[in-house]
Amino acid sequence: MLRVSTLYRNIVEEEGLKTKTLRPTDRIGKFRKIFPKMEKWLNYIDKFIIFSIELIGYNILNYYNKNIVYHITDHSNSIYSLCLLNKAKVITCHDVLAINSMLGKNPKKRLKFSGKLLQKLILVGIKCNHRIVCVSKKTENEIRKLVDDKNTKINTVLQPLNYKFEPIKKEKAIRIVIKQIVQYNECIENGFILHVGGNQWYKNRMGLCAIYNELNSIRSNLNQSRIPLILAGKKPTRELVCFAEKHRDLKIIFLISPTNKEINALYSLANLLLFPSIEEGFGWPIVEAMACGCPVVTTGKEPMTEAGGSAAIYIDPSDSVSAAKITNEVINWSKDRKKMQAELGFQNVKRFCRKAFAQEYRRAYEDALGINKKDSSD
């Protein structure tokens, strides 16, 4: 989330606000090389003990400055709210997926005892904030249920993209990605299906492969050529590798840890982005792809529908046959139809602008200061 914090800082500074970034420093965590099995716990000491002490110290040093607003840019760090109980605070909530897993609402993701304890503390920390900003209406609705406090002001602010995604001409885009997938020149030239994301259960990478398998069966029955699938993101799980090995007749390509520049090029070359997530905090690849003129086929439920608006094509990922049929229809669109969809995407992307974001957060900071002053006078 460091990139998100940097994005927020840059945008609000453009609005004329002064900022200072406070974050944990790698101190005890340096011993991970000596104690590799203790890496997680060493990082926790840096993050939750040492930095909390430093944050309290910073708060004391600035005790008389009543115009400071502490913005916790990621809800997973909400524990720091406990160090700032009497200070003006704003927290940004990106999703409640892990909290819902702690509450037993996500049977596909069960947490260990330490994970449950951490999420309980995160929820307590979130509730210590009277000004909460969410990245989607879905997250906002879920946070309202979890917080259930009429004194807490909660709203949604759409985030701008953290990279200048834009259409790239085919020749230039090919030059950008050719080194990464040089052995797959054919798919670069003739198009492919793209997925961008990690291995989290809700990203539904195996469901994606099931849809892709059905898609190629449909295309084979229609005497249409096979179309490759590129999964750009984290290193594939063993399950994904086994699927690819079992279906060697399909062209499944894993592109590990691509840069934003490479992802931009892939969006510009792809026939479409296939994004069949089960859950999301928001679903940034949907907006990124549209910014590059790439058609988007994604899950027809919130928050994907919020990100895609009327510019995306929606499917039910649990019905792989139906999803594959819809995907194939998009692949076979005429040039005019693709151009029209790209224009819809460009219009949709305009909703995620830096100026509106900065203005909304300025209001949130003013709210937090007003709430804090009111609480101090009571």
Side-chain angles (χ1 to χ4, degrees):
M1 283 294 178
L2 179 58
R3 286 188 300 174
V4 172
S5 296
T6 302
L7 174 69
Y8 287 9
R9 182 194 66 203
N10 292 342
I11 293 176
V12 298
E13 285 182 349
E14 290 170 10
E15 186 68 9
L17 300 177
K18 293 181 180 180
T19 70
K20 181 180 178 64
T21 301
L22 305 174
R23 62 186 180 89
T25 302
D26 192 18
R27 292 192 175 91
I28 303 298
K30 291 179 180 179
F31 293 101
R32 67 175 68 88
K33 294 180 180 179
I34 303 174
F35 307 104
K37 292 184 179 179
M38 296 290 291
E39 179 178 3
K40 181 176 73 172
W41 298 102
L42 294 174
N43 290 337
Y44 279 173
I45 292 173
D46 277 334
K47 183 175 180 179
F48 297 123
I49 298 178
I50 295 178
F51 182 67
S52 293
I53 295 171
E54 292 174 341
L55 189 57
I56 292 171
Y58 183 86
N59 185 16
I60 292 172
L61 290 174
N62 292 274
Y63 182 79
Y64 292 105
N65 189 338
K66 302 301 181 181
N67 292 316
I68 291 179
V69 178
Y70 292 89
H71 181 183
I72 301 172
T73 57
D74 177 9
H75 65 280
S76 65
N77 295 323
S78 67
I79 294 173
Y80 301 140
S81 299
L82 303 177
C83 304
L84 304 164
L85 289 178
N86 296 316
K87 290 296 181 178
K89 303 183 295 296
V90 173
I91 188 167
T92 299
C93 290
H94 296 267
D95 63 69
V96 293
L97 297 175
I99 293 174
N100 280 339
S101 293
M102 178 268 292
L103 296 172
K105 295 181 180 180
N106 291 327
K108 291 188 176 183
K109 179 63 176 179
R110 299 188 182 279
L111 301 179
K112 296 180 180 179
F113 173 79
S114 59
K116 289 182 179 180
L117 178 60
L118 177 59
Q119 293 306 316
K120 286 180 180 179
L121 290 173
I122 287 172
L123 182 54
V124 169
I126 291 174
K127 290 181 178 181
C128 289
N129 291 268
H130 291 306
R131 191 64 180 88
I132 302 175
V133 179
C134 303
V135 301
S136 69
K137 280 292 182 182
K138 179 177 186 291
T139 298
E140 178 186 335
N141 292 335
E142 291 179 319
I143 284 291
R144 287 186 181 279
K145 294 176 184 177
L146 291 169
V147 173
D148 192 26
D149 183 350
K150 294 180 180 179
N151 295 320
T152 301
K153 186 172 181 180
I154 307 171
N155 74 321
T156 296
V157 177
L158 299 178
Q159 294 182 126
L161 299 177
N162 63 3
Y163 182 82
K164 190 179 179 182
F165 288 98
E166 59 187 359
I168 300 176
K169 289 185 178 180
K170 185 174 182 179
E171 294 76 16
K172 181 179 178 181
I174 289 174
R175 287 198 300 270
I176 292 172
V177 299
I178 192 67
K179 291 181 181 179
Q180 282 276 32
I181 47 180
V182 65
Q183 67 271 45
Y184 302 105
N185 290 348
E186 182 183 347
C187 80
I188 297 175
E189 292 287 346
N190 300 323
F192 51 88
I193 294 171
L194 177 65
H195 178 267
V196 176
N199 293 314
Q200 301 96 322
W201 64 271
Y202 55 86
K203 294 294 183 183
N204 195 27
R205 274 181 148 187
M206 287 306 300
L208 166 76
C209 289
I211 296 171
Y212 175 64
N213 191 28
E214 290 291 346
L215 170 66
N216 278 290
S217 295
I218 291 171
R219 292 183 65 82
S220 178
N221 292 335
L222 296 173
N223 293 319
Q224 296 172 343
S225 62
R226 292 189 182 279
I227 185 166
L229 169 65
I230 296 180
L231 288 87
K234 297 292 185 180
K235 182 179 179 181
T237 61
R238 182 59 190 163
E239 188 178 18
L240 279 168
V241 172
C242 288
F243 181 91
E245 290 176 348
K246 183 179 178 181
H247 298 84
R248 292 182 181 275
D249 55 320
L250 304 179
K251 295 181 180 179
I252 301 177
I253 304 162
F254 299 109
L255 185 56
I256 301 171
S257 301
T259 63
N260 280 330
K261 186 177 181 180
E262 290 168 337
I263 292 174
N264 194 160
L266 290 169
Y267 285 139
S268 300
L269 292 167
N271 289 71
L272 58 86
L273 173 74
L274 183 53
F275 195 74
S277 288
I278 299 171
E279 295 286 348
E280 284 288 340
F282 190 74
W284 290 117
I286 296 171
V287 186
E288 295 170 356
M290 289 181 181
C292 300
C294 178
V296 175
V297 177
T298 187
T299 307
K301 62 178 286 189
E302 294 182 335
M304 282 67 75
T305 52
E306 186 175 352
S310 60
I313 307 302
Y314 297 107
I315 58 170
D316 176 1
S318 66
D319 186 346
S320 57
V321 175
S322 173
K325 288 180 179 178
I326 294 171
T327 301
N328 199 43
E329 289 174 4
V330 176
I331 293 171
N332 294 327
W333 276 349
S334 66
K335 288 185 178 180
D336 289 342
R337 180 69 175 85
K338 290 178 181 178
K339 184 178 179 180
M340 182 184 74
Q341 197 69 26
E343 288 300 325
L344 289 174
F346 294 144
Q347 291 300 316
N348 183 56
V349 171
K350 290 180 180 179
R351 295 189 293 133
F352 308 88
C353 73
R354 296 171 76 93
K355 186 69 174 177
F357 178 90
Q359 291 173 348
E360 288 292 336
Y361 266 98
R362 178 185 280 275
R363 294 190 189 99
Y365 298 152
E366 291 170 351
D367 288 343
L369 284 169
I371 291 170
N372 190 58
K373 289 176 181 177
K374 180 180 178 181
D375 290 345
S376 299
S377 64
D378 289 344

